[in-house]
Amino acid sequence: MAELQEVQITEEKPLLPGQTPEAAKEAELAAQILLDQGQIHSVETPYGSVTFTVYGTPKPKRPAILTYHDVGLNYKSCFQPLFQFGDMQEIIQNFVRVHVDAPGMEEGAPVFPLGYQYPSLDQLADMIPCVLQYLNFSTVIGVGVGAGAYILSRYALNHPDTVEGLVLINIDPNAKGWMDWAAHKLTGLTSSIPEMILGHLFSQEELSGNSELIQKYRNIITHAPNLDNIELYWNSYNNRRDLNFERGGDITLKCPVMLVVGDQAPHEDAVVECNSKLDPTQTSFLKMADSGGQPQLTQPGKLTEAFKYFLQGMGYMASSCMTRLSRSRTASLTSAASIDGNRSRSRTLSQSSESGTLSSGPPGHTMEVSC
């Protein structure tokens, strides 16, 4: 019998000189905690400083998920319920995330001095290349809500080669008309800034119901120490330019887009109109019942499943298990073609909690939903 020989195995992660195993373990734990908490960065741009938080590490050949929040919120109050949802963990393990805070909206932000010229929404979009250059990221999948959805759309129009996909919640691509402007001014005479912003974020039915969620966000906005900054962001949103989307024209989004809006939400009509102006082969429309004005807060589970399906259509996460969405046989063929690399999709999605169905693609193609 051959004599056994002693083999010396070298550690995969050798200790640093003078470092004990206990110290190495503590350092590794501290690094993991840092990743879980996010790494906060700030970068100077031609229009001022912008703060963003990075979670995770870049994945080879995968874009970053970049989010942009709505007026009255920051990245935490806008997106935390969605990205902390259990089923979302499968997604965030596969992508690095960058959460951008609009200037002056980050936690602990100082109040801007009187007379400060806040950037326009177009200028806020022009800050994003500085963020990506700082991080050395080449492409992103954008997730924006309200004003954030507009900003990401403007960025995608200006830099189409760097955007692989967009999830746009409550987008209003239109500038305010004279009637809208007059109504806004009249409302400003009788309502406070926090109340106007709450009316932008939530439906009148939600505000009248005064649920625990509404009470929470009313308190966040009303008692925000940076309320003056929030008002500046609000004014920039109300002075936005028209994105001038035109189906079949030169001004359109070139990447796959998922439009999302809640049933009876304040921006339902605007999102429906936006859907009519975008390329139908690249656009999915998800109208969520029982979700109110902020689907990412009220229905994170349903939105997570729709996001997974959207990513699969782009060729990512092909082996992901869909825990809530089960495809019908007719839709599965279309889905499989998308997963195999066909990024040209024609889907209009409408969701109903009562019927539990999503319409998908050409007439007659449906997708069953278990929610």
Side-chain angles (χ1 to χ4, degrees):
M1 181 179 294
E3 183 179 351
L4 295 177
Q5 296 182 355
E6 183 178 351
V7 179
Q8 185 176 3
I9 300 177
T10 305
E11 293 181 81
E12 289 185 9
K13 297 180 180 179
L15 300 178
L16 295 175
Q19 187 179 39
T20 65
E22 291 76 13
K25 188 173 182 180
E26 289 179 2
E28 186 175 348
L29 180 60
Q32 185 59 48
I33 291 174
L34 185 62
L35 287 176
D36 292 340
Q37 291 179 342
Q39 301 174 57
I40 301 174
H41 304 269
S42 292
V43 63
E44 289 297 327
T45 79
Y47 307 104
S49 177
V50 61
T51 298
F52 50 95
T53 306
V54 180
Y55 288 84
T57 55
K59 306 298 187 292
K61 299 182 180 180
R62 293 209 170 189
I65 293 176
L66 185 143
T67 73
Y68 216 115
H69 61 88
D70 204 352
V71 175
L73 309 173
N74 57 31
Y75 93 84
K76 287 186 177 180
S77 56
C78 188
F79 291 108
Q80 210 165 51
L82 176 64
F83 283 95
Q84 288 186 347
F85 188 77
D87 290 349
M88 178 62 80
Q89 303 315 301
E90 184 182 5
I91 294 177
I92 64 178
Q93 289 171 6
N94 286 278
F95 296 89
V96 62
R97 286 178 291 146
V98 182
H99 297 287
V100 180
D101 279 317
M105 303 303 127
E106 68 275 12
E107 289 185 343
V111 176
F112 291 121
L114 189 65
Y116 175 80
Q117 183 63 47
Y118 197 81
S120 67
L121 293 197
D122 289 5
Q123 291 171 333
L124 292 176
D126 287 339
M127 289 180 168
I128 295 177
C130 298
V131 174
L132 299 186
Q133 183 178 8
Y134 177 88
L135 295 171
N136 197 28
F137 292 169
S138 56
T139 60
V140 298
I141 295 172
V143 181
V145 181
Y150 178 102
I151 291 167
L152 292 181
S153 296
R154 175 65 73 186
Y155 170 73
L157 290 175
N158 295 338
H159 305 273
D161 293 339
T162 67
V163 182
E164 293 197 22
L166 287 173
V167 177
L168 305 176
I169 304 171
N170 296 337
I171 185 172
D172 187 343
N174 304 315
K176 280 187 175 294
W178 284 107
M179 294 296 292
D180 296 323
W181 180 85
H184 175 72
K185 290 296 183 183
L186 184 61
T187 303
L189 297 175
T190 59
S191 301
S192 64
I193 293 296
E195 289 302 319
M196 286 193 290
I197 292 175
L198 285 166
H200 161 79
L201 295 174
F202 300 100
S203 67
Q204 288 303 312
E205 182 180 354
E206 288 176 290
L207 294 174
S208 299
N210 200 30
S211 65
E212 185 177 335
L213 178 72
I214 298 300
Q215 293 177 37
K216 173 184 175 181
Y217 279 84
R218 177 177 278 116
N219 182 66
I220 288 175
I221 297 171
T222 303
H223 299 101
N226 62 336
L227 185 57
D228 290 344
N229 295 356
I230 293 174
E231 184 176 357
L232 294 176
Y233 188 20
W234 174 239
N235 291 338
S236 288
Y237 176 70
N238 287 309
N239 289 319
R240 65 190 179 277
R241 295 192 303 144
D242 199 314
L243 288 174
N244 292 314
F245 289 147
E246 182 182 359
R247 178 169 289 184
D250 293 331
I251 303 178
T252 190
L253 297 173
K254 308 294 185 182
C255 62
V257 179
M258 182 169 73
L259 300 175
V260 182
V261 70
D263 192 19
Q264 303 301 317
H267 307 286
E268 181 180 357
D269 291 342
V271 179
V272 170
E273 181 182 352
C274 182
N275 182 54
S276 70
K277 294 180 178 180
L278 295 178
D279 181 354
T281 68
Q282 290 281 72
T283 307
S284 305
F285 178 42
L286 176 61
K287 185 175 178 181
M288 299 180 64
D290 305 322
S291 65
Q294 299 292 309
Q296 80 283 3
L297 301 179
T298 58
Q299 298 283 1
K302 294 179 182 178
L303 187 55
T304 295
E305 291 304 316
F307 190 27
K308 283 184 182 180
Y309 184 68
F310 179 70
L311 292 172
Q312 285 189 331
M314 295 173 60
Y316 297 113
M317 299 182 64
S319 61
S320 173
C321 177
M322 309 302 284
T323 57
R324 294 176 184 267
L325 298 180
S326 56
R327 302 176 187 83
S328 69
R329 291 184 178 181
T330 53
S332 63
L333 296 176
T334 304
S335 174
S338 298
I339 293 171
D340 286 339
N342 180 4
R343 296 195 177 194
S344 177
R345 298 164 301 119
S346 175
R347 289 206 305 273
T348 300
L349 308 180
S350 61
Q351 182 167 354
S352 167
S353 61
E354 296 178 358
S355 62
T357 61
L358 293 176
S359 63
S360 175
H365 286 245
T366 61
M367 179 171 28
E368 299 300 326
V369 179
S370 300
C371 297

